[in-house]
Amino acid sequence: MTRRICFVTGNRYKFEEVSEITRRFNIELELCSVPKLEVQGESLLEIVFKSAILAYFFTNRPVLVEDAGLFIKALNGFPGPYSSYVYKTIGLTGVLKLLEKAENREACFRSAAALAYDRGVITGEGEVCGYIVETPRGTRGFGFDPIFTPHGEAKTFAEMSLEEKNRVSHRAKSVSLVLSKYIEHAQTALSNF
Ligand code: IMP
């Protein structure tokens, strides 16, 4: 049985990445639009949890929300929750400039995902750590992809295919966790019927 869930995002790259993951679970992903969710929270997890509940009220169907950020060690975790703003304002060049004199270029991408449906909300988190390269490389992906290389890899995210990025990414981890719990819950519900 193919299940369908909808994903709230304005980012087509994210949609492609997440679609490739849902296909592995035999789930069809649809893009859904809801009024802009202005949710505040202390963590990515709190934000996606609240956003998924709101999105469920608008869509009345299983709905997935995901939020991510880049946490740079030498900058005490900055830009973290401000990643989107920092990308739009100072961009890759600005971040590289902030790291010009840094000896430690370690950074982690973190992602939180939440799926709201008629039985509640399922959440999951994912992380991938690596380092910020000195010069941007690659043309694929989005955001900070051209300046981030995961540990154990030679390529930046922007030099990887969708499948390669999904093998290690923060988003692939959080979303896969949520989907496996969802399938498990759905199967338990069926066997109790
Ligand atoms: P969002 O709120 O999940 O869209 O993520 C906030 C910002 O973090 C985005 O605008 C990107 O700049 C950055 N970001 C999040 N995930 C990724 C990723 O997988 N690759 C590169 N940049 C990312």
Side-chain angles (χ1 to χ4, degrees), residues 14 17 66-69 83-84 87 109 142-145 157 165 170-171:
K14 262 196 190 188
E17 282 181 24
E66 189 268 348
D67 209 358
S83 294
S84 180
Y87 179 74
F109 270 116
F142 68 98
F144 298 105
D145 278 348
F157 266 169
K165 182 176 174 187
H170 49 311
R171 182 164 303 107

Side-chain angles (χ1 to χ4, degrees):
M1 180 174 71
T2 306
R3 295 173 206 279
R4 282 182 177 192
I5 58 175
C6 73
F7 183 38
V8 180
T9 183
N11 180 333
R12 70 179 176 92
Y13 298 102
K14 262 196 190 188
F15 184 77
E16 282 169 23
E17 282 181 24
V18 175
S19 298
E20 201 267 329
I21 301 161
T22 59
R23 275 198 293 276
R24 298 185 211 158
F25 290 84
N26 202 17
I27 292 173
E28 212 174 285
L29 195 69
E30 286 173 28
L31 195 59
C32 60
S33 68
V34 297
K36 197 162 170 49
L37 306 170
E38 299 286 1
V39 173
Q40 307 285 322
E42 298 220 327
S43 64
L44 293 175
L45 197 60
E46 187 184 338
I47 293 170
V48 291
F49 181 84
K50 291 178 179 170
S51 304
I53 294 173
L54 274 180
Y56 183 71
F57 278 106
F58 286 114
T59 58
N60 204 24
R61 47 186 296 211
V63 58
L64 179 70
V65 175
E66 189 268 348
D67 209 358
L70 178 66
F71 296 74
I72 301 175
K73 242 189 187 149
L75 306 178
N76 289 326
F78 184 82
Y82 309 106
S83 294
S84 180
Y85 180 72
V86 167
Y87 179 74
K88 282 189 220 140
T89 50
I90 64 171
L92 302 184
T93 321
V95 170
L96 291 177
K97 205 164 173 54
L98 289 174
L99 288 177
E100 243 167 27
K101 298 212 163 67
E103 279 177 20
N104 183 347
R105 302 183 72 89
E106 268 187 77
C108 299
F109 270 116
R110 290 191 198 131
S111 158
L115 175 73
Y117 69 125
D118 59 357
R119 307 181 118 235
V121 185
I122 300 172
T123 58
E125 291 177 282
E127 181 180 73
V128 57
C129 293
Y131 58 94
I132 304 294
V133 297
E134 292 191 357
T135 315
R137 299 197 316 261
T139 53
R140 295 187 174 123
F142 68 98
F144 298 105
D145 278 348
I147 60 168
F148 179 82
T149 294
H151 284 312
E153 305 282 338
K155 296 178 182 176
T156 64
F157 266 169
E159 292 175 305
M160 294 182 177
S161 66
L162 197 70
E163 291 76 13
E164 283 173 321
K165 182 176 174 187
N166 273 346
R167 262 203 292 277
V168 291
S169 92
H170 49 311
R171 182 164 303 107
K173 288 174 188 157
S174 66
V175 170
S176 301
L177 207 59
V178 166
L179 296 180
S180 42
K181 287 189 211 166
Y182 177 57
I183 299 286
E184 201 181 301
H185 287 194
Q187 275 161 356
T188 317
L190 268 182
S191 65
N192 287 338
F193 189 64

